[in-house]
Amino acid sequence: MRKIIATDYDGTLTIDGIPPRVVDAIARFRAAGNLFGIVTGRDKIGSFSAFANDKRFGFDFILAMNGAMAIDADGNTLYESPIRGDQPYGDTTLSRALVRRIWELTGRQCGIAFGDTRLDIHPDYPDGGKYGWTQLDPFGDLEKDVFAKMDTFAMLNTACETEEMTARVTAQLMEEFGDYVFPQQNGTCIDIPVRGMDKGEGIAKYAALMGVDEDNIFTAGDNYNDLPMLRRYHGCAMASGVQAAKDVSEFICRDIAEVVDLAMKA
């Protein structure tokens, strides 16, 4: 039966680059009929465009936005788990409340992913003023109140100055918005997909689509947002990763080549 390796990208697949032994191992794993893919906090633009143009390695899938979106090797979206941004929250809507609270807690802009599109809202324009947006992909005509475009979105993310601050803000956002979304720390970044969605759940949905048994799934990661998938499957923590990742994993590996060897011998 074929197997899946699902790996984080930053700090896991790439550690000071991707050495030839890792590239060769990935090719060997895929040539045996297995599925290799990346599970990342990046959105579709930051993942598929970058990885598809990276000729160092091949992949069969990407689970972007901490598993909230599955993309095949041709860039087709297999599934997306959206957040209802237009639902009421206090005296406003969830999307407005999230953006405003992130601004209050971090003083930073936040990025909002809509399918193939990502937009960044600047703290000086918490209500979505046109000049507060950075367009990274064609989005059509922006209305003055861009939140009218945000009935649903796939993920929201932001960053903090230190990992300690990131942990505090993540916990605060979980306390206030945990009924709707699932904030997760990734170094000094915070990834915020819909409630119940994490890298482990994203892999489960993809594996079900591909008909791969849970015991044939190996995961690799190095940071806090990798913990759900490392716990749930055969977890392989990077030796350079945080201690929390090592504590929940079956194996500690130097790189993805070692993960491939483990998976193919299992």
Side-chain angles (χ1 to χ4, degrees), residues 9 18 46 54 98-99 109 127 153 157 203 230 233 244:
Y9 182 75
I18 305 176
D54 190 337
L98 274 166
V99 169
Q109 68 183 41
D127 293 325
F153 57 97
N157 58 24
I203 293 169
L230 293 174
Y233 305 104

Side-chain angles (χ1 to χ4, degrees), residues 93-103 153 156 177 181:
T93 61
L94 179 63
S95 58
R96 290 174 182 272
L98 274 166
V99 169
R100 183 171 60 197
R101 191 64 175 129
I102 286 170
W103 180 34
F153 57 97
L156 186 151
F177 297 95
V181 294

Side-chain angles (χ1 to χ4, degrees), residues 105 160-172 185-190 224:
L105 292 171
C160 299
E161 294 180 2
T162 67
E163 290 198 7
E164 292 75 17
M165 179 182 179
T166 307
R168 292 195 301 272
V169 173
T170 301
Q172 186 67 40
Q185 181 178 2
N186 181 14
T188 57
C189 296
I190 305 174
Y224 297 103

